[in-house]
Amino acid sequence: MSTPFPFTAVVGQDDLRLALLLNAVSPAVGGVLVRGEKGTAKSTAVRALSVLLPAVSVVSGCRFSCDPARPDPACPDGPHEPGAGVERPARMVELPVGASEDRLVGALDIERALSEGVKAFEPGLLADAHRGILYVDEVNLLHDHLVDLLLDAAAMGASYVEREGVSVRHASKFLLVGTMNPEEGELRPQLLDRFGLTVEVAASREPDQRVEVVRRRLAYDDDPAGFAGRWADEEASVRARIVAARTLLPSVLLGDGALRQIAATCAAFEVDGMRADIVMARTATALAAWAGRREVLAEDVRQAALLALPHRRRRNPFDAPGLDEDKLDQTLEEHSGEGDEDPDPDGPGGGDGGGGGQPPSEGPEDGDAGARPEAGDSGEPQTSGGGGERQPARAAEPFRTKVLSVPGLGEGAAGRRSRARTEHGRTTGARRPRGTLTKLHLAATVQAAAPHQRARGRSGRGLVVRRDDLRQATREGREGNLVLFVVDASGSMAARQRMGAVKGAVLSLLLDAYQRRDKVGLVTFRGSAAEVALPPTSSVDAAAVRLESLPTGGRTPLAAGLLRAHEVLRVERLRDPARRALVVVVTDGRATGGPEPVALAGRAARLFAADGVASVVVDCESGPVRLGLAGQLAGELGGTAVTLDELRADSIAGLVRDVQGTSRRAA
């Protein structure tokens, strides 16, 4: 077994270490979500924490780690008689992003259940993690249905496995820790809320601290055991402090004054529901116990707010995380009460326990001539760069959009946009299982077994089932797509009011893509060329940032934009062949610059039609005279055109449509 990097040897990252330690003291806090750029010791700190957790006593031979003092009466390996057990180290179980549902919750042997009435159950990772740590690296990339199962188990303290009326339940209480890089996409707000605490981490910009990080890492890589030995005393000290804080925790007093401050803070920051209040109360109590005090102080409430509230204030992925600390201090001051008195100096911790927000010490080592002008173009201010480039316009307020989906039936990653064959959804039929049976189609299985009962010598009431009789349910759900935006940023689109409306529409579609778990990409074209402003990614907030700073002006190289988008799709198809694409071209349909720009754009558009790529053209043409060029482009693409007004979910036009042109080709 490899030697983990010592927890106390992690340089800096005070908030991260404190949040992990508070959950070690009180798992009821609800776990930690660690957000930050790559290479910031997120995984290192989580793996190091498991060594600090006290050993657990378990029933000998129980696969579900039952506590011998209070065995689970519903344990599948039970019933267990209370008595002495055996001690083992606390476990840290890692959930891979690509794990199956059966690997997470466990699997039932359906064949034995039907033919013998035996609940033959193989435990999953939730059983292994009971009374330990369940760690999910890149939790934002985990499939939605696995996240739902994971968080349900964390909330209920138990895991349920249901297979066609056969069910197994076992206890599953664990410290849930997730890490993620926001550049790769966000968690949905309702899932963010299920994590007790969240921490934003970043690499230090201080040269001395960076030097110390490198020095310690190189020393560890050269001799892991020797490096860990040099930190053994600090590790033992923190481990003892965790045990002491756990012992003290039940006697910590959360007074009415502190409770009022907690309630006032949650109300002031307009967090949804009551979970934030409960998490703050548990966190403040754990902070007091960690500091060796029996009373919660205002400083504990403040630190609890900084850890428990930032992720609960985000309403969409474009909201900046964080908390206004001046507002927090003002709220606490206005509602200061009985919880602010100094603790008894002779009480536990005596004055050397430190503030609630202090993690353990770090130990011993210290211009467009060919474009037709639009009304209002002439009055726009220009940048000093020349060439007709204009200052970026601000996006209009986003709105709820109509549903745009890819026609046909896909098999891509789970999401919420287009129809697909999935492991979850409504049952549409049955087939013979390929590999392990995961979703039994009971009626089809009985129908397959029924004609053979006499030949198999059936004598009792039970059904004689063979492996060949089992049928896998086929299901239809929804998949996420690659939504590739191709945005016209030329001079013909550059009127400030108009471009603001266009950016607002694209921002609205980005929000829709976030909610439907799509990947997004952004290609822009203006002047004489096109560029990939954002390669395909799961981070829609990165796309929003690029969109906000998008400059405009110059000619309209429509063909170049389409050809660049076609190349992006070709490369992405090699990387992820199962993910289908939806191309959204945002333009007024004009094409200028170079010889025969309209004909070139038409030929480029027909490449998408030949490949069967679903497409939508958002027609941005305005003014009393309309040329209908965007509609012609949609025809060349084999897609459909919608106006900005039709894109709104509440518009009278009523667009809830698939891409009809591609649908007709698929038929």
Side-chain angles (χ1 to χ4, degrees):
M1 181 177 178
S2 61
T3 303
F5 192 91
F7 186 86
T8 51
V10 174
V11 179
Q13 306 298 8
D14 291 350
D15 287 344
L16 168 59
R17 294 189 293 148
L18 177 62
L20 291 171
L21 288 169
L22 292 178
N23 275 273
V25 171
S26 176
V29 165
V32 187
L33 175 64
V34 187
R35 298 162 42 90
E37 58 197 25
K38 51 188 176 292
T40 49
K42 300 189 298 293
S43 299
T44 298
V46 175
R47 294 188 175 99
L49 179 67
S50 62
V51 180
L52 298 179
L53 296 181
V56 295
S57 179
V58 300
V59 174
S60 179
C62 178
R63 297 175 297 167
F64 302 89
S65 302
C66 280
D67 185 347
R70 295 180 299 276
D72 180 9
C75 176
D77 283 355
H80 304 299
E81 293 295 330
V86 295
E87 283 201 345
R88 63 160 176 77
R91 293 173 179 162
M92 194 200 73
V93 177
E94 293 195 41
L95 172 60
V97 169
S100 65
E101 180 180 338
D102 283 349
R103 183 73 186 99
L104 176 62
V105 300
L108 283 168
D109 189 331
I110 299 297
E111 184 176 1
R112 292 188 64 192
L114 289 176
S115 59
E116 303 175 27
V118 175
K119 292 184 180 179
F121 180 67
E122 185 65 29
L125 295 177
L126 290 180
D128 293 341
H130 182 43
R131 305 175 68 198
I133 300 174
L134 182 61
Y135 172 47
V136 189
D137 193 15
E138 305 294 353
V139 65
N140 52 321
L141 304 182
L142 199 64
H143 286 176
D144 283 353
H145 69 281
L146 292 182
V147 175
D148 292 338
L149 290 169
L150 180 65
L151 296 179
D152 283 345
M156 296 185 296
S159 175
Y160 294 83
V161 183
E162 303 282 347
R163 293 289 188 273
E164 301 293 344
V166 180
S167 64
V168 171
R169 173 221 170 265
H170 64 83
S172 184
K173 297 180 180 179
F174 47 83
L175 168 55
L176 175 62
V177 182
T179 56
M180 59 175 282
N181 184 347
E183 294 177 357
E184 298 174 342
E186 290 284 356
L187 280 174
R188 302 194 309 271
Q190 59 269 39
L191 299 185
L192 279 173
D193 185 58
R194 298 295 292 271
F195 283 93
L197 309 179
T198 187
V199 178
E200 297 279 341
V201 296
S204 173
R205 299 299 183 256
E206 293 293 330
D208 290 344
Q209 196 171 73
R210 296 175 74 96
V211 166
E212 188 62 24
V213 170
V214 175
R215 181 181 291 120
R216 293 186 187 185
R217 187 69 212 190
L218 293 178
Y220 170 77
D221 290 341
D222 288 343
D223 182 10
F227 182 83
R230 291 194 292 274
W231 290 85
D233 291 344
E234 286 71 27
E235 295 282 283
S237 175
V238 173
R239 189 180 299 110
R241 190 172 173 185
I242 291 173
V243 173
R246 284 187 174 186
T247 303
L248 180 62
L249 185 66
S251 61
V252 173
L253 173 64
L254 181 65
D256 289 344
L259 274 174
R260 278 193 292 270
Q261 287 184 316
I262 290 170
T265 301
C266 293
F269 286 100
E270 299 180 350
V271 296
D272 295 332
M274 294 297 298
R275 183 175 284 122
D277 303 63
I278 297 171
V279 170
M280 273 191 66
R282 289 171 174 166
T283 305
T285 304
L287 280 162
W290 176 248
R293 289 187 264 99
R294 284 198 173 95
E295 189 174 10
V296 173
L297 304 183
E299 65 191 72
D300 301 321
V301 176
R302 186 183 192 278
Q303 182 67 66
L306 293 174
L307 293 172
L309 296 188
H311 62 300
R312 293 183 165 87
R313 298 189 61 244
R314 303 190 75 189
R315 294 297 186 267
N316 63 62
F318 311 141
D319 291 340
L323 215 60
D324 184 340
E325 295 195 31
D326 290 337
K327 181 178 179 180
L328 174 60
D329 291 336
Q330 181 181 352
T331 302
L332 293 175
E333 179 66 26
E334 290 175 354
H335 296 83
S336 60
E338 298 175 358
D340 292 342
E341 289 88 358
D342 292 333
D344 181 357
D346 297 327
D352 62 354
Q358 295 298 320
S361 65
E362 291 187 7
E365 295 186 53
D366 288 328
D368 190 0
R372 304 181 186 181
E374 295 288 331
D377 279 3
S378 58
E380 289 299 311
Q382 297 185 359
T383 64
S384 59
E389 182 174 309
R390 303 173 187 273
Q391 293 283 1
R394 292 184 62 85
E397 194 68 22
F399 52 85
R400 189 167 62 90
T401 66
K402 296 290 186 180
V403 179
L404 302 175
S405 61
V406 178
L409 198 62
E411 294 182 341
R416 297 186 172 188
R417 183 171 297 278
S418 305
R419 295 171 55 222
R421 298 181 185 91
T422 61
E423 287 294 316
H424 297 268
R426 64 186 182 90
T427 301
T428 58
R431 61 171 173 80
R432 291 181 181 273
R434 294 190 288 268
T436 303
L437 178 72
T438 55
K439 299 291 183 182
L440 178 75
H441 194 297
L442 183 58
T445 299
V446 172
Q447 188 176 12
H452 309 291
Q453 296 305 294
R454 180 174 297 178
R456 293 173 182 173
R458 174 185 172 186
S459 58
R461 299 178 61 183
L463 191 67
V464 182
V465 180
R466 299 286 186 263
R467 176 68 185 174
D468 290 343
D469 300 328
L470 300 179
R471 294 294 182 267
Q472 174 85 24
T474 57
R475 303 192 175 200
E476 181 179 309
R478 293 279 168 177
E479 67 177 1
N481 299 118
L482 166 60
V483 182
L484 182 61
F485 294 94
V486 186
V487 180
D488 184 349
S490 65
S492 65
M493 297 278 289
R496 185 165 298 279
Q497 184 176 2
R498 182 182 178 199
M499 197 61 196
V502 169
K503 287 187 174 182
V506 178
L507 193 64
S508 303
L509 290 167
L510 283 171
L511 278 169
D512 182 68
Y514 164 74
Q515 293 164 353
R516 299 185 188 280
R517 310 298 285 171
D518 295 316
K519 292 180 70 174
V520 297
L522 178 63
V523 174
T524 64
F525 57 94
R526 56 183 289 273
S528 60
E531 66 171 341
V532 181
L534 183 71
T537 175
S538 297
S539 178
V540 295
D541 51 342
V545 170
R546 303 293 172 87
L547 179 71
E548 188 67 29
S549 60
L550 178 66
T552 57
R555 296 181 180 272
T556 313
L558 178 57
L562 294 174
L563 289 173
R564 180 59 63 91
H566 189 267
E567 176 63 16
V568 169
L569 291 185
R570 185 190 68 80
V571 173
E572 192 65 19
R573 204 175 293 124
L574 296 175
R575 293 174 178 167
D576 190 357
R579 189 181 291 268
R580 299 186 294 164
L582 173 64
V583 176
V584 180
V585 185
V586 185
T587 181
D588 56 11
R590 288 173 170 79
T592 61
E596 300 183 340
V598 176
L600 283 174
R603 287 199 290 271
R606 287 192 287 274
L607 293 175
F608 291 85
D611 289 345
V613 177
S615 60
V616 175
V617 178
V618 179
D619 184 359
C620 301
E621 192 174 29
S622 62
V625 179
R626 295 175 180 264
L627 304 179
L629 298 176
Q632 296 175 26
L633 175 63
E636 299 279 9
L637 287 166
T640 188
V642 300
T643 66
L644 288 174
D645 287 338
E646 290 174 331
L647 196 59
R648 292 179 176 271
D650 54 357
S651 70
I652 299 176
L655 171 74
V656 180
R657 65 173 85 167
D658 281 350
V659 188
Q660 298 297 334
T662 310
S663 182
R664 287 193 293 271
R665 287 198 312 276

